[in-house]
């Protein structure tokens, strides 16, 4: 039995919209995890970092303008540290909380321009990979399995017993063995064809589905 169908730019746009939605969801989740880790380390390191900056600032203030440390300056720096550090640990908590809240609020602001750029880059990558699949296809099958060839000369085949997954989308049946499923790939067979009579194509498609050892799963 032989079936002919085509994957058109319209199919590409439909698949692109769905894949882009999934990729942006993963992108947002990844960004949320990164921001969570940043916030975690920020909350732990902000206090010590600000303390060190204050001490460094005090040392620089004592060092300049003569640009040398005298014993008197060293003693003054040690006394400053002995006084400042206990006061810091005693009174810095509220200020650090306010600072962390400001930083968290800034991180929570939507980054529309950056997200839009990432979306355009992801969309461009997806579109390039999906357009490769456009073209006409010929599906032949018998009692042993099926062969799918395209107008560009590509040809792939699976025996019926190799088929592990059969998924149904509004426009395609996605057929995959375990190896292809692991790679996130599948052979796509259009549910409708503009290259054959509709009734003839549907009859052949039903014969193909009846030979598959697994039932279609809707996604």
């Amino acid at each position: 039995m032989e079936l002919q169908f085509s994957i058109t730019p319209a199919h590409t746009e439909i698949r692109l919209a769905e894949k882009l939605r999934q990729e942006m969801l993963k992108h947002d989740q990844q960004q949320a995890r990164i921001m969570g880790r940043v916030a975690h380390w920020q909350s732990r390191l902000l206090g010590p970092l600000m303390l060190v900056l204050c001490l460094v600032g005090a040392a620089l203030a004592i060092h300049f303008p003569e640009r040398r440390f005298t014993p008197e300056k060293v003693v003054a720096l040690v006394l400053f540290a002995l006084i400042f550090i206990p006061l810091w640990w005693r009174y810095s908590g509220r200020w650090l909380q306010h600072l962390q809240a400001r930083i968290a609020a800034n991180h929570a602001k939507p980054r529309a321009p950056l997200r839009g750029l990432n979306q355009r880059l992801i969309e461009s990558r997806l579109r390039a990979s999906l357009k490769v699949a456009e073209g006409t296809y010929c599906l032949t099958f018998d009692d042993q399995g099926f062969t799918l060839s395209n107008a560009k000369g590509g040809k792939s085949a699976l025996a019926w017993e190799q088929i592990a997954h059969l998924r149904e989308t509004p426009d395609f049946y996605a057929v995959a063995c375990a190896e292809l499923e692991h790679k996130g790939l599948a052979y796509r067979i259009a549910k409708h064809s503009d290259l054959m009579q509709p009734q003839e194509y549907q009859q052949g498609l039903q014969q193909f589905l009846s030979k598959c050892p697994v039932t279609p799963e809707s996604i």
Side-chain angles (χ1 to χ4, degrees):
M1 185 71 184
E2 180 179 299
L3 298 176
Q4 296 182 358
F5 63 90
S6 61
I7 296 179
T8 66
H11 289 139
T12 296
E13 292 302 319
I14 294 173
R15 293 178 62 196
L16 176 63
E18 176 59 23
K19 284 185 173 292
L20 182 60
R21 184 189 67 81
Q22 296 173 355
E23 288 294 321
M24 291 307 299
L25 178 60
K26 290 194 294 185
H27 172 270
D28 292 342
Q29 292 172 342
Q30 183 182 41
Q31 290 297 310
R33 288 194 296 268
I34 293 174
M35 295 306 298
R37 288 195 292 267
V38 169
H40 169 73
W41 286 107
Q42 195 174 70
S43 64
R44 298 189 60 172
L45 298 177
L46 183 60
L49 177 61
M50 296 305 296
L51 174 60
V52 170
L53 289 177
C54 289
L55 295 176
V56 170
L60 292 176
I62 293 174
H63 178 64
F64 290 101
E66 297 179 3
R67 296 188 179 183
R68 64 188 182 90
F69 281 109
T70 63
E72 292 80 6
K73 288 184 176 183
V74 173
V75 171
L77 181 59
V78 171
L79 289 175
F80 172 80
L82 292 175
I83 296 172
F84 179 77
I85 292 175
L87 292 175
W88 171 269
W89 291 118
R90 177 66 178 83
Y91 297 107
S92 65
R94 182 174 298 180
W95 178 72
L96 288 175
Q97 288 178 357
H98 175 73
L99 183 58
Q100 288 173 348
R102 291 288 300 273
I103 294 174
N106 183 62
H107 287 166
K109 292 179 181 179
R111 300 292 192 268
L114 183 59
R115 189 179 189 277
L117 175 61
N118 289 333
Q119 180 171 334
R120 289 191 293 273
L121 291 174
I122 293 172
E123 181 178 355
S124 177
R125 172 175 58 82
L126 291 174
R127 187 185 299 277
S129 64
L130 292 176
K131 286 188 71 67
V132 173
E134 292 180 5
T136 59
Y137 290 82
C138 179
L139 172 69
T140 58
F141 59 92
D142 52 27
D143 292 337
Q144 282 70 47
F146 74 88
T147 300
L148 185 64
S149 56
N150 59 37
K152 302 173 185 177
K155 181 177 293 187
S156 303
L158 280 181
W160 297 120
E161 60 269 17
Q162 290 180 284
I163 298 176
H165 299 276
L166 176 61
R167 295 187 173 88
E168 181 180 3
T169 69
D171 297 295
F172 293 95
Y173 288 103
V175 185
C177 60
E179 182 180 357
L180 288 175
E181 178 70 14
H182 180 71
K183 297 178 180 178
L185 302 175
Y187 299 118
R188 294 189 174 272
I189 301 169
K191 297 175 72 173
H192 304 281
S193 173
D194 54 358
L195 303 179
M196 296 178 61
Q197 291 295 326
Q199 184 176 1
E200 180 184 1
Y201 185 80
Q202 292 302 319
Q203 289 176 349
L205 186 59
Q206 291 306 313
Q207 291 182 36
F208 172 82
L209 295 175
S210 69
K211 292 181 177 296
C212 289
V214 293
T215 56
E217 304 173 12
S218 297
I219 56 175

